[in-house]
Amino acid sequence: MMLHIPEILTKQQVAELRQQLDTSQAWIQGQQSAGFQAQKIKNNLQIDPNSIAYQSLAPRIIQALNNNILLKSAALPRHILSPLFNCYQDAGHYGNHVDNAVQYSNSIGQIIRTDVSITVFLSEPDEYEGGELIVEDNYGCHEVKLDAGDAIVYPATSLHRVEPVTRGQRIAACTWIQSMVKDDWQRSMLFNLDMNLIKLRQHIGDTEEVVALTSHYHNLLRQWAEL
Ligand code: NI
């Protein structure tokens, strides 16, 4: 399931992040965070995760993700990795790849499985040309270029790439989630049920049937969740 989450960051939050990112001295070559196959096709800049700048930037993304109800319902996060901040410019791109299946989390000091990928756009679409995120799944290729502050969420199992940026700069944050529910199809069903339950509750209130269906949601989650 691919999900567009609008305004995961407010324009004000984007402006504050961008002010710091645009003047930062902490940009380094991005290859070092890629896996062996991906290193050869990755051409971008990243904020050094060991820099002081990173320490103040990363928590703001994590907090926004933690506070978003739509993301919680769609991804059912067990753990959210600290984000990478990247910048594509001067024909910078990232060829087709699948993200590493396991990644080390500094915050919990252990490896996590990456089930869900997230990109939070920090540049407005008119600031750059090219730079589309292309995600391939069973239903074909999806081209993604969102407003600054919006996020795209997709299964980490998907082959994806970032097209060359031919004008301007494309700045984004990306990260990964280990979900309580590993399977994308099961997560999609739970998300669908949850969203419809919310609408039903708004329309008809907590009727006996709505309460019964809500227990059904929780019992499915109980069946499928790994903790
Ligand atoms: Ni990737």
Side-chain angles (χ1 to χ4, degrees):
M1 169 184 58
M2 278 189 89
L3 179 70
H4 169 193
I5 303 184
E7 292 172 42
I8 206 159
L9 295 167
T10 62
K11 293 293 182 197
Q12 175 65 26
Q13 288 172 316
V14 171
E16 286 165 14
L17 284 162
R18 279 295 299 275
Q19 196 177 21
Q20 208 174 336
L21 287 163
D22 290 354
T23 55
S24 179
Q25 305 294 311
W27 291 104
I28 55 171
Q29 286 299 323
Q31 277 99 338
Q32 28 191 294
S33 67
F36 180 71
Q37 182 265 332
Q39 271 179 10
K40 291 175 272 182
I41 50 167
K42 187 176 187 185
N43 174 17
N44 68 2
L45 296 171
Q46 270 167 13
I47 290 287
D48 182 352
N50 299 313
S51 64
I52 293 167
Y54 183 85
Q55 305 306 321
S56 87
L57 291 162
R60 288 188 257 169
I61 299 290
I62 293 287
Q63 196 182 11
L65 299 180
N66 273 326
N67 290 344
N68 192 277
I69 293 166
L70 212 52
L71 180 71
K72 238 178 216 171
S73 177
L76 298 164
R78 179 164 185 254
H79 185 70
I80 303 179
L81 272 175
S82 204
L84 296 174
F85 293 89
N86 49 51
C87 173
Y88 292 84
Q89 59 188 1
D90 304 325
H93 63 279
Y94 196 166
N96 260 338
H97 66 282
V98 168
D99 298 331
N100 286 341
V102 287
Q103 294 195 37
Y104 184 77
S105 166
N106 282 317
S107 62
I108 54 168
Q110 63 186 63
I111 52 170
I112 72 153
R113 185 188 62 229
T114 56
D115 297 317
V116 176
S117 299
I118 304 168
T119 298
V120 181
F121 288 75
L122 298 173
S123 295
E124 295 293 355
D126 61 4
E127 287 182 67
Y128 59 99
E129 244 151 64
E132 294 84 2
L133 170 68
I134 311 286
V135 182
E136 293 183 17
D137 65 14
N138 295 341
Y139 306 104
C141 277
H142 307 273
E143 193 178 292
V144 185
K145 190 171 188 173
L146 303 177
D147 288 349
D150 286 14
I152 189 81
V153 175
Y154 57 98
T157 47
S158 322
L159 196 64
H160 59 280
R161 65 179 181 273
V162 176
E163 297 284 52
V165 170
T166 52
R167 178 187 63 83
Q169 286 184 324
R170 175 201 191 266
I171 296 176
C174 59
T175 192
W176 295 269
I177 288 177
Q178 178 166 339
S179 176
M180 290 188 283
V181 176
K182 177 167 77 170
D183 185 78
D184 177 52
W185 180 234
Q186 290 176 337
R187 275 197 312 272
S188 303
M189 285 193 284
L190 287 169
F191 179 59
N192 197 278
L193 186 54
D194 191 26
M195 289 298 108
N196 281 294
L197 275 169
I198 289 171
K199 285 184 205 153
L200 260 184
R201 202 170 290 124
Q202 282 165 356
H203 289 317
I204 59 171
D206 272 323
T207 64
E208 204 178 313
E209 293 80 4
V210 170
V211 173
L213 281 173
T214 306
S215 344
H216 195 63
Y217 170 87
H218 287 290
N219 289 335
L220 275 176
L221 182 58
R222 210 184 314 278
Q223 283 288 317
W224 291 339
E226 313 166 344
L227 302 170

